[in-house]
């Protein structure tokens, strides 16, 4: 059985342009960052300036730094910005760190404070039950701040 012509693409040999990074996407306000995230963004921007790196990334960092404000932790017993949260689920232990938008890194388990997952965890304490996205249920096992 063949594939319908409607679901195929003729290759004209042209290589498509990769999408531009963050073009037209406004920096969120408020724009909270962790102290580590602010330092890392400043260091990355300085390195880009020193070696003449990616102009789009430099512009993105500059825009974020212009509106960034560091959030200092006041209650280390509650999940908030900068918290590393360990969640015990039926499928095993999950660990996430809630960070500012510029710091998010899915490979490291660092999630933006604006994400659905961070919203589910925000304000919880050790022992609290949590309903995670995709129907997974768990319990907050630990909260740590750097």
């Amino acid at each position: 059985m063949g594939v319908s012509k409607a679901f195929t693409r003729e290759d004209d040999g042209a290589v498509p342009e990769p999408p531009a990074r963050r073009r037209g996407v406004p920096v969120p306000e408020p724009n909270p960052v962790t102290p580590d995230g602010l330092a890392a963004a400043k260091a990355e921007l300085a390195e880009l300036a020193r070696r003449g790196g990616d102009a789009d990334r430099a512009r993105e960092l500059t825009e974020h730094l212009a509106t960034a404000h560091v959030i200092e932790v006041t209650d280390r017993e509650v999940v908030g910005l900068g918290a590393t949260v360990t969640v015990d689920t039926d499928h095993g232990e999950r660990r996430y760190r809630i960070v500012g938008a510029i710091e998010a890194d899915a490979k490291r388990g660092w999630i933006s404070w604006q994400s659905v997952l961070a919203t589910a965890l925000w304000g919880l304490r050790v022992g609290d039950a949590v309903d995670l996205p995709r129907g997974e249920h768990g319990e907050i096992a630990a909260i740590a701040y750097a």
Side-chain angles (χ1 to χ4, degrees):
M1 178 175 208
V3 176
S4 166
K5 185 69 173 165
F7 296 104
T8 64
R9 181 177 72 87
E10 290 185 19
D11 188 1
D12 61 4
V15 177
E17 286 277 317
R21 202 179 320 201
R22 298 196 53 80
R23 182 175 296 150
V25 178
V27 175
E29 288 193 41
N31 184 17
V33 295
T34 65
D36 290 344
L38 183 66
K42 286 179 177 180
E44 183 181 352
L45 183 59
E47 179 64 17
L48 286 170
R50 187 184 66 74
R51 64 179 166 85
D54 182 344
D56 286 338
R57 179 64 176 165
R59 185 171 24 265
E60 178 184 30
L61 288 166
T62 299
E63 290 171 2
H64 273 273
L65 288 169
T67 60
H69 65 274
V70 174
I71 301 296
E72 296 295 336
V73 179
T74 57
D75 187 349
R76 295 180 176 274
E77 304 295 317
V78 176
V79 176
L81 191 77
T84 299
V85 185
T86 304
V87 182
D88 285 334
T89 74
D90 294 336
H91 300 102
E93 185 178 277
R94 307 271 192 256
R95 185 168 288 126
Y96 308 100
R97 182 166 185 229
I98 301 175
V99 296
I102 195 74
E103 304 170 77
D105 184 346
K107 291 178 185 174
R108 296 172 73 182
W110 291 15
I111 59 174
S112 169
W113 67 276
Q114 298 166 304
S115 69
V116 172
L117 180 53
T119 300
L121 298 170
W122 199 271
L124 297 180
R125 297 176 178 274
V126 171
D128 286 348
V130 60
D131 292 324
L132 300 172
R134 300 184 186 171
E136 196 171 16
H137 304 286
E139 181 178 304
I140 305 299
I143 302 168
Y145 286 87

